Amino acid sequence: MAIRSEASDAAEILNLENFLPYRLYRLADAVSREFSRIYKDSHGLTRPEWRTLSGLGQHGTMTATELGEQSAMHKTKVSRAVAELERRRWLVRTPDENDRRVEHLSLTKAGLAAYREMVPLAKAFERDLLARLSAEERTAITSGLAALETSLVPSKS
Amino acid sequence: MAIRSEASDAAEILNLENFLPYRLYRLADAVSREFSRIYKDSHGLTRPEWRTLSGLGQHGTMTATELGEQSAMHKTKVSRAVAELERRRWLVRTPDENDRRVEHLSLTKAGLAAYREMVPLAKAFERDLLARLSAEERTAITSGLAALETSLVPSKS
DNA sequence: CCAAACTGGTTTCATTTGTAACCATCGAAA
DNA sequence: TTTCGATGGTTACAAATGAAACCAGTTTGG
């Protein structure tokens, strides 16, 4: 048609609501915000702190570098999260015997207790999230995410 | 087995790499980081600024509140993004006739030009992203995301 | 008409983040 | 061995963010 405002000239328009990066981000943001209540409201943890706790709870002992790789955090985030958890006495550092730059991190009893307390809540959260979907939708999101992950998350490729 | 470290006692462990909120966030983060090159490296825009530009490019004229709803941004983000785009002379505000609290925002020629320049790049980015997947994987991610969205993004329900 | 509650939008302040520079240590090569 | 480049980790600084207070202006109910 001849009469059409500049700003809505078809082919040149990007539909933000359908744009994959935007959809992904908005969804992750919403889910993450909801989920953060589990570690933030109850213990005042930040996301990096939660991930650090979670990584150590899962693996027992890790270095800061390993933590960064496992939980996709920049080393400064790891450094700060570790410092805070240490301040809370939720983790301890033990220097490496051979390489004095490296520290092995592990949870204290208190840290482990907090971890153990949150894990069931986290699992319940995920379960409830998925429970709103049909079986097909669940496999769709799972395999769809996996496909995108292998296609672009460095460590997954 | 009897011999197992406290930290790896099966049922109590959360596997972060498979945890949906984490996977979503990491993926969104990776995609978003990649995509940001399009608006950041070329024009030094922030994400809120890009979204504002995108919203106005798509809809022609909007109020700050509408922008916030459409692009899932807190009103402070919108406010700051609008201020910056105005400073660049990429958008103008026109006061509402009836309600003097409201301003209608629209892109200037310069803003529209920038938008038009970036849209094809954005579309190409998305296309390339999806091109790495098989047809089934594409429908999987698309419908999986849609299912999750309707199940929890407020405006979508 | 007027006060109270509400809404659009901005600002302030504290916290979080990213980048880059940095310190110490390590490993390899000269 | 000494030097130089990588590596583990921390710190300093600037920019981005979120929460809450705020300032119009507007509506609602008495």
Side-chain angles (χ1 to χ4, degrees), chain B residues 132-150:
Chain B
R132 307 178 195 175
L133 308 187
S134 71
E136 304 81 57
E137 289 169 337
R138 276 194 291 276
T139 57
I141 189 68
T142 306
S143 59
L145 283 182
L148 266 182
E149 280 163 356
T150 56

Side-chain angles (χ1 to χ4, degrees), chain A residues 89-102:
Chain A
R89 308 198 188 288
W90 281 13
L91 71 72
V92 290
R93 320 183 189 225
T94 29
D96 184 275
E97 299 276 290
N98 311 314
D99 188 338
R100 289 190 307 188
R101 293 169 303 181
V102 179

Side-chain angles (χ1 to χ4, degrees), chain B residues 22-139:
Chain B
Y22 170 67
R23 290 178 65 196
L24 265 176
Y25 196 93
R26 183 186 51 180
L27 189 57
D29 196 58
V31 169
S32 180
R33 232 190 240 331
E34 260 304 301
F35 179 63
S36 76
R37 294 150 54 84
I38 288 176
Y39 53 78
K40 190 173 203 174
D41 291 3
S42 65
H43 291 102
L45 295 179
T46 62
R47 183 167 42 226
E49 285 155 19
W50 150 253
R51 283 192 189 171
T52 298
L53 184 71
S54 185
L56 294 179
Q58 179 180 349
H59 288 113
T61 291
M62 305 173 81
T63 67
T65 303
E66 289 167 347
L67 261 171
E69 286 163 2
Q70 199 231 352
S71 50
M73 295 191 293
H74 187 77
K75 58 185 188 167
T76 60
K77 274 191 187 171
V78 176
S79 175
R80 297 192 255 242
V82 166
E84 169 60 18
L85 293 186
E86 183 186 34
R87 203 193 56 69
R88 286 180 186 236
R89 307 198 188 289
W90 281 13
L91 71 72
V92 290
R93 318 181 189 229
T94 29
D96 184 276
E97 299 276 290
N98 310 315
D99 187 339
R100 289 189 307 187
R101 292 168 304 180
V102 178
E103 306 178 309
H104 299 278
L105 309 166
S106 52
L107 297 182
T108 60
K109 278 239 180 289
L112 205 47
Y115 175 70
R116 290 219 174 103
E117 177 199 329
M118 284 185 262
V119 165
L121 302 179
K123 288 187 174 177
F125 178 88
E126 185 183 39
R127 188 174 345 102
D128 292 356
L129 194 58
L130 290 169
R132 307 178 195 175
L133 308 187
S134 71
E136 304 81 57
E137 289 169 337
R138 276 194 291 276
T139 57

